[in-house]
Amino acid sequence: MLILDGKIASAAVKATLLEQTQALKAAGKRTPHLAAILVGSNGASETYVASKVKNCEETGFGSSLYRFDTEVEEVVLLAKIAELNQDPNCDGILVQLPLPKHIKESKVIEAINPAKDVDGFHPVNVGRLVQGLNTFIPATPYGIILMLEHFNIETKGKNAVVIGRSNIVGRPMSILLSSNIAQGNCTVTICHSHTKNLKEVCLGADIIVAALGVPNFLTGEMIKPGAVIIDVGITRVEDATAKKGFRIKGDVNYEEACAKASAITPVPGGVGLMTIAGLLKNTMKAYQGL
Ligand code: GUN
């Protein structure tokens, strides 16, 4: 069984990006710059944004982190986005989700200039993705595609099942896997909380992407022998024996899945690292111009 190691695949992506930024610096040019907006102090969001900023540094990108209190008014965020939209030294804008309830996420996302929308969440970019046009692919599905590419996983003609229909992962993942691209051309089923006979649907899958956020949801009996398992889950589960008081759990029962799968992503160390690789590639693309 093949472990789809995110450390290896993301290091390859980052090495190429570092070469590009070093060449830019050698030519006396500025390098790509990512602006991240973080609202409140959600522990997981803090960790993700800190990791995104750190990875920018490691790859020779510039980055700025703008922090706002949980109570920040929507207009204040919109003003910051308007400022960044105009800033010629800012290539990519990322607003870490989720946002507090009093802020309308769709309004914030739609305020970002689509040419700087490195998360690929703006409706213009989602529309471009659906139509197979050049766009920013949301970072997690993009990272999964990069992972499949790195490990030469054949997808053409395969049955893929995506569990979860979020705008961030499930929906764009299902579009990509069905698209006419190298890591696409699958027959895709997208499953959600109303899906009937989920076990039977999963047993027909050659590739399963579990992106519902329920730890250990996908068990061995739901997996066809030889299937490729992509685990997007990153739920914090309390664990008094762990240093931080919690452990990160995937959506897949890893031990059971290992007994059935031909390839699997670990958690942590799998898709999470690829999300960052996808984001960095999008930021370079924003710098170069869509
Ligand atoms: N929250 C969870 N995943 C993501 C992501 O990929 N981008 C942003 N901006 N927020 C997230």
Side-chain angles (χ1 to χ4, degrees), residues 37 45 48 52 94-98 119 121 138-141 168-169 234 275 279:
I37 295 178
S45 291
Y48 302 149
K52 288 170 185 180
L94 172 157
V95 180
Q96 187 65 27
L97 303 179
D119 262 325
F121 294 161
T140 299
I168 296 180
V169 186
I234 36 165
T275 294
L279 174 70

Short mmCIF file of all heavy atoms in Angstrom, two decimals, residues 37 45 48 52 94-98 119 121 138-141 168-169 234 275 279, ligand 1:
data_model
loop_
_atom_site.label_atom_id
_atom_site.label_comp_id
_atom_site.label_asym_id
_atom_site.label_seq_id
_atom_site.Cartn_x
_atom_site.Cartn_y
_atom_site.Cartn_z
N ILE A 37 -6.02 37.66 6.05
CA ILE A 37 -6.87 38.35 7.02
C ILE A 37 -7.43 37.30 7.98
O ILE A 37 -8.01 36.29 7.55
CB ILE A 37 -8.01 39.11 6.31
CG1 ILE A 37 -7.42 40.23 5.46
CG2 ILE A 37 -9.03 39.64 7.31
CD1 ILE A 37 -8.44 41.03 4.66
N SER A 45 -7.94 28.14 13.13
CA SER A 45 -7.67 29.16 12.11
C SER A 45 -6.32 29.83 12.36
O SER A 45 -5.56 30.09 11.41
CB SER A 45 -8.77 30.23 12.12
OG SER A 45 -9.98 29.69 11.65
N TYR A 48 -3.68 27.48 11.07
CA TYR A 48 -3.62 27.40 9.60
C TYR A 48 -2.97 28.66 9.02
O TYR A 48 -2.11 28.57 8.13
CB TYR A 48 -5.01 27.24 8.98
CG TYR A 48 -5.77 26.03 9.46
CD1 TYR A 48 -7.16 26.06 9.55
CD2 TYR A 48 -5.10 24.87 9.83
CE1 TYR A 48 -7.86 24.96 10.00
CE2 TYR A 48 -5.80 23.77 10.29
CZ TYR A 48 -7.18 23.82 10.38
OH TYR A 48 -7.87 22.74 10.84
N LYS A 52 0.44 29.14 6.86
CA LYS A 52 0.46 29.73 5.51
C LYS A 52 1.54 30.82 5.43
O LYS A 52 2.31 30.87 4.47
CB LYS A 52 -0.93 30.31 5.18
CG LYS A 52 -1.97 29.22 4.93
CD LYS A 52 -3.41 29.75 4.85
CE LYS A 52 -4.39 28.59 4.71
NZ LYS A 52 -5.81 29.00 4.64
N LEU A 94 -6.30 36.53 1.10
CA LEU A 94 -6.94 35.35 1.68
C LEU A 94 -7.67 35.77 2.96
O LEU A 94 -7.06 36.41 3.81
CB LEU A 94 -5.83 34.35 2.00
CG LEU A 94 -6.09 33.09 2.78
CD1 LEU A 94 -5.01 32.10 2.43
CD2 LEU A 94 -6.13 33.30 4.28
N VAL A 95 -8.93 35.50 3.05
CA VAL A 95 -9.68 35.75 4.30
C VAL A 95 -9.96 34.38 4.90
O VAL A 95 -10.69 33.57 4.33
CB VAL A 95 -11.00 36.50 4.03
CG1 VAL A 95 -11.74 36.74 5.34
CG2 VAL A 95 -10.74 37.81 3.31
N GLN A 96 -9.33 34.12 6.05
CA GLN A 96 -9.49 32.79 6.65
C GLN A 96 -10.95 32.59 7.10
O GLN A 96 -11.52 33.45 7.78
CB GLN A 96 -8.53 32.63 7.83
CG GLN A 96 -8.48 31.23 8.42
CD GLN A 96 -7.94 30.17 7.46
OE1 GLN A 96 -7.15 30.47 6.56
NE2 GLN A 96 -8.37 28.93 7.64
N LEU A 97 -11.53 31.48 6.73
CA LEU A 97 -12.90 31.13 7.11
C LEU A 97 -12.85 30.06 8.21
O LEU A 97 -11.87 29.33 8.29
CB LEU A 97 -13.65 30.59 5.89
CG LEU A 97 -13.70 31.53 4.67
CD1 LEU A 97 -14.45 30.87 3.52
CD2 LEU A 97 -14.34 32.86 5.02
N PRO A 98 -13.83 29.94 9.06
CA PRO A 98 -15.09 30.68 9.06
C PRO A 98 -14.94 32.07 9.67
O PRO A 98 -14.00 32.32 10.43
CB PRO A 98 -15.99 29.81 9.93
CG PRO A 98 -15.06 29.11 10.87
CD PRO A 98 -13.79 28.90 10.11
N ASP A 119 -7.80 31.99 -3.02
CA ASP A 119 -8.58 30.87 -2.49
C ASP A 119 -9.53 30.31 -3.54
O ASP A 119 -10.09 29.22 -3.36
CB ASP A 119 -9.41 31.33 -1.28
CG ASP A 119 -8.75 30.99 0.05
OD1 ASP A 119 -8.10 29.93 0.13
OD2 ASP A 119 -8.90 31.77 1.00
N PHE A 121 -12.52 31.34 -4.22
CA PHE A 121 -13.89 31.26 -3.68
C PHE A 121 -14.84 32.27 -4.34
O PHE A 121 -16.05 32.19 -4.15
CB PHE A 121 -13.90 31.53 -2.16
CG PHE A 121 -13.18 30.49 -1.34
CD1 PHE A 121 -12.77 30.78 -0.03
CD2 PHE A 121 -12.92 29.22 -1.84
CE1 PHE A 121 -12.12 29.83 0.74
CE2 PHE A 121 -12.26 28.26 -1.06
CZ PHE A 121 -11.86 28.57 0.22
N PRO A 138 -9.63 26.30 -5.76
CA PRO A 138 -9.54 26.34 -4.29
C PRO A 138 -8.40 25.43 -3.79
O PRO A 138 -8.19 24.32 -4.30
CB PRO A 138 -10.92 25.86 -3.85
CG PRO A 138 -11.82 26.32 -4.95
CD PRO A 138 -11.01 26.13 -6.22
N ALA A 139 -7.69 25.93 -2.78
CA ALA A 139 -6.39 25.35 -2.42
C ALA A 139 -6.44 23.87 -2.04
O ALA A 139 -5.53 23.12 -2.41
CB ALA A 139 -5.79 26.17 -1.28
N THR A 140 -7.48 23.44 -1.32
CA THR A 140 -7.48 22.03 -0.90
C THR A 140 -7.72 21.08 -2.08
O THR A 140 -6.92 20.15 -2.29
CB THR A 140 -8.49 21.80 0.24
OG1 THR A 140 -8.09 22.62 1.36
CG2 THR A 140 -8.52 20.35 0.68
N PRO A 141 -8.76 21.30 -2.89
CA PRO A 141 -8.90 20.44 -4.07
C PRO A 141 -7.70 20.53 -5.01
O PRO A 141 -7.27 19.51 -5.57
CB PRO A 141 -10.16 20.96 -4.77
CG PRO A 141 -10.87 21.78 -3.78
CD PRO A 141 -9.90 22.24 -2.75
N ILE A 168 -15.70 24.93 -0.14
CA ILE A 168 -14.23 24.96 0.02
C ILE A 168 -13.59 23.69 -0.54
O ILE A 168 -12.52 23.72 -1.13
CB ILE A 168 -13.86 25.16 1.51
CG1 ILE A 168 -14.35 26.54 1.98
CG2 ILE A 168 -12.37 25.01 1.75
CD1 ILE A 168 -14.04 26.85 3.45
N VAL A 169 -14.24 22.54 -0.33
CA VAL A 169 -13.61 21.28 -0.75
C VAL A 169 -14.51 20.42 -1.66
O VAL A 169 -14.20 20.21 -2.84
CB VAL A 169 -13.16 20.42 0.46
CG1 VAL A 169 -12.38 19.20 -0.04
CG2 VAL A 169 -12.32 21.19 1.44
N ILE A 234 -9.68 17.22 9.34
CA ILE A 234 -8.64 17.72 10.28
C ILE A 234 -9.35 18.22 11.53
O ILE A 234 -9.20 19.37 11.93
CB ILE A 234 -7.76 18.86 9.68
CG1 ILE A 234 -8.59 19.78 8.77
CG2 ILE A 234 -6.53 18.35 9.01
CD1 ILE A 234 -7.91 21.07 8.45
N THR A 275 -2.71 21.57 0.78
CA THR A 275 -3.53 22.79 0.72
C THR A 275 -2.61 24.01 0.64
O THR A 275 -2.83 24.94 -0.14
CB THR A 275 -4.43 22.90 1.97
OG1 THR A 275 -5.37 21.83 1.93
CG2 THR A 275 -5.18 24.21 2.03
N LEU A 279 -2.17 26.79 -2.34
CA LEU A 279 -2.29 28.24 -2.08
C LEU A 279 -1.06 28.99 -2.61
O LEU A 279 -1.17 30.05 -3.24
CB LEU A 279 -2.44 28.49 -0.57
CG LEU A 279 -2.41 29.95 -0.15
CD1 LEU A 279 -3.67 30.67 -0.62
CD2 LEU A 279 -2.27 30.07 1.37
N1 GUN B 1 -10.98 27.54 6.14
C1 GUN B 1 -10.82 26.22 5.96
N2 GUN B 1 -10.16 25.99 4.78
C2 GUN B 1 -9.90 27.20 4.25
C3 GUN B 1 -9.23 27.61 3.06
O1 GUN B 1 -8.75 26.81 2.24
N3 GUN B 1 -9.16 28.95 2.86
C4 GUN B 1 -9.69 29.85 3.73
N4 GUN B 1 -9.59 31.14 3.45
N5 GUN B 1 -10.32 29.50 4.85
C5 GUN B 1 -10.41 28.17 5.09
#
